[in-house]
Every structure is written in C-alpha cells, then in structure tokens.
Amino acid sequence: MASSQGKNELRFADWMAALPASIHRTPLTNLAIPGSHDSFSFYIDEASPVGPEQPETVQNFVSVFGTVAKKLMRKWLATQTMNFTSQLESGIRYFDLRISTKPRDPDNELYFAHGLFSAKVKEGLEEINAFLADHPKEVVFLDFNHFYGMQKYHHEKLVQMLKDIYGNKMCPAIFAHEVSLQYLWEKEHQVLVFYHSPVALEVPFLWPGQMMPAPWANTTDPEKLIQFLQASITERRKKGSFFISQVVLTPKASTVVKGVASGLRETITER
C-alpha cells in the first residue's frame, strides 16, 4: 500500500511534465487545472485575533466565548487538511489566497486569513517555491483575490516579496490564449500571479484580477451548484480568459447554527 501511494504521489507531483506532447502547445485556458479553496486554511491559528473582515456579530461572539468560539469557528473555516507541499504533490496547481494584516502586530507581517489568521504569507510562498525548484516543469497559479486591512505600503511589501521569492519564474501578463506549457517552459516561467487590486496595473508580472474571474454559486444545494457551474463555464469560454469553477457548497448562517458543533466536513462535505 505504501509503495503504491508513493508512486501516485510521484505521478501527481509531475503531472504537467507527463502530459502528452500534443497538449504542450494547448492554451492553458483550455485545460482543467485542479485547485483548492482557501488554500492556506490547513493552518488556522485558534490563538489569533478574529480577522478584520468578520462582521460585528462574529466579533462579539468571540469576545464573549473566547477560545471555545474560535475552536467552533475553525471547524467551519478550515477547508483544507493538507499544507501547500502536500497539495502540490497531490496535483493541486491553483491556489486561492486571501491576505491580511494583523491588528497590533509589532512586526507588521502579512498573513493568510479566513475568519481567523493562518500562516505568514512569506512562509507559504517559500514553501511553494521549494516545490517548484524540485519540479521545473510544473506551473502554479497564485490568485490573490481578497485583501484585508492593507494599505499601499502593504501591497508594495507583498509585490517585493513576490519578486524576491519567485524572480524570473513569474510570467508577465500577456494575452491568456498565448500561455501554454511549451511557452512557459521555453521562458522558464512557473508562476502566474493574479492580483485583484488596481496595483496589478502598475506591475508587469501581476495579472489583473479580471483575468481570473470566480463566479460563486453561494448555495448549499448540489443540484443548484451543478446548474450554476454548467452555465458559468459556457459563458466564460466566450471571454478568452482563465476562469474558476468553484465546486464548493457554501453554508448559510442557518446551516452553521444547526450544526455549530459538527463543522464543515460533517455538515457539507458529504453532499
């Protein structure tokens, strides 16, 4: 069993490199590339403050119930159980990244965040880069799609961080249909960075957020989700950009209240 599992991990870790030659020049917009939702949420720190994007009701809930409230929150906020390296080894190539400053943080660090704070952004990006160094034909999509509590200098800090970590691995923004594996391999690019902020217009290696739209079904009903995905795929194929099919069910407030102690996995995942 262990031997078989090891072979699978190796195959998934280099699945782009192993694609047949007939696909090498196919635009990446025409390929289905596996990704993860709230990709960083394998490490959500229950000891952290509540994220600045959370409504006042959640802030009040935590202020009253403290650690117990955060433990319950984590059950609903953690959408991943694997770290970045394990996700990459399993074949994930698209990462959904949400960035925040932390209130009263003396080091003025940037963190991944989803309700509560996760790992430092720098550590996560370095982990991804370490994988890319070992797998030179694999390509990742980094989608920075939410920013919380960030001022201009925070964006400058993040842009510099990307430069320092990835350097020439990043593919400058061009027409989406021009990007194929062959093109990226020839240029030795491995990273496409999508940045949902006007800052993207000022930096050549940042792809504007509209080049990676992510229509959201916002439903707990699997049938409605499937209908939404089918409609959005048909529509997005006409646009000529990358796009995300969010195959995720979203719990409503009533869903959380009914299953407050059980969590996302038990309440939603099986659907």
Side-chain angles (χ1 to χ4, degrees):
M1 184 67 171
S3 174
S4 173
Q5 184 178 359
K7 288 179 181 178
N8 280 339
E9 287 176 356
L10 181 62
R11 177 160 54 89
F12 295 142
D14 290 290
W15 70 262
M16 286 180 159
L19 287 172
S22 58
I23 294 178
H24 293 176
R25 296 187 183 276
T26 301
L28 290 186
T29 53
N30 292 359
L31 300 185
I33 296 171
S36 57
H37 178 68
D38 288 319
S39 307
F40 50 85
S41 60
F42 57 88
Y43 178 71
I44 285 182
D45 185 3
E46 294 171 6
S48 79
V50 177
E53 83 285 7
Q54 290 301 297
E56 188 177 351
T57 51
V58 174
Q59 303 277 359
N60 292 338
F61 176 63
V62 171
S63 66
V64 173
F65 295 100
T67 303
V68 173
K70 290 181 183 179
K71 287 183 180 296
L72 293 175
M73 284 179 68
R74 191 186 192 287
K75 288 186 173 185
W76 288 95
L77 297 171
T79 61
Q80 306 299 329
T81 59
M82 295 191 291
N83 63 22
F84 287 127
T85 301
S86 295
Q87 290 183 50
L88 286 159
E89 289 173 345
S90 298
I92 295 298
R93 295 293 178 268
Y94 164 87
F95 293 96
D96 165 21
L97 307 175
R98 302 160 192 231
I99 314 300
S100 181
T101 58
K102 186 183 287 188
R104 298 176 296 281
D105 178 26
D107 298 323
N108 204 26
E109 286 280 0
L110 297 176
Y111 296 84
F112 298 115
H114 183 220
L116 295 170
F117 290 92
S118 182
K120 293 179 181 177
V121 172
K122 187 172 186 287
E123 293 173 356
L125 298 183
E126 287 175 339
E127 185 177 347
I128 293 170
N129 190 50
F131 174 87
L132 294 175
D134 291 335
H135 303 269
K137 285 197 167 185
E138 300 306 297
V139 175
V140 298
F141 298 76
L142 305 182
D143 189 10
F144 294 86
N145 52 63
H146 287 74
F147 301 99
Y148 306 113
M150 288 182 61
Q151 305 299 322
K152 186 172 185 286
Y153 68 92
H154 292 115
H155 285 285
E156 291 171 351
K157 179 175 182 176
L158 180 52
V159 167
Q160 187 60 50
M161 191 184 299
L162 289 164
K163 284 182 183 177
D164 292 343
I165 294 172
Y166 297 115
N168 292 331
K169 284 191 178 83
M170 291 185 289
C171 176
I174 57 176
F175 290 113
H177 67 266
E178 296 179 12
V179 183
S180 65
L181 287 173
Q182 190 65 42
Y183 173 86
L184 295 172
W185 292 343
E186 288 174 358
K187 302 287 186 180
E188 298 185 349
H189 297 322
Q190 289 182 270
V191 183
L192 277 73
V193 179
F194 295 85
Y195 209 84
H196 296 246
S197 161
V199 172
L201 302 175
E202 306 168 10
V203 183
F205 62 76
L206 296 182
W207 291 64
Q210 62 263 33
M211 295 300 293
M212 185 63 87
W216 177 35
N218 192 18
T219 181
T220 57
D221 185 329
E223 290 302 318
K224 289 182 179 178
L225 173 63
I226 291 169
Q227 291 170 10
F228 178 86
L229 291 171
Q230 289 173 335
S232 62
I233 286 174
T234 302
E235 178 63 24
R236 290 299 168 185
R237 278 186 175 151
K238 301 174 186 175
K239 304 288 186 182
S241 67
F242 295 95
F243 67 91
I244 301 163
S245 289
Q246 293 202 65
V247 191
V248 295
L249 296 173
T250 306
K252 302 173 183 176
S254 58
T255 313
V256 177
V257 170
K258 288 177 184 177
V260 65
S262 55
L264 190 68
R265 182 192 292 266
E266 293 81 1
T267 309
I268 292 290
T269 305
E270 289 305 316
R271 299 189 196 182

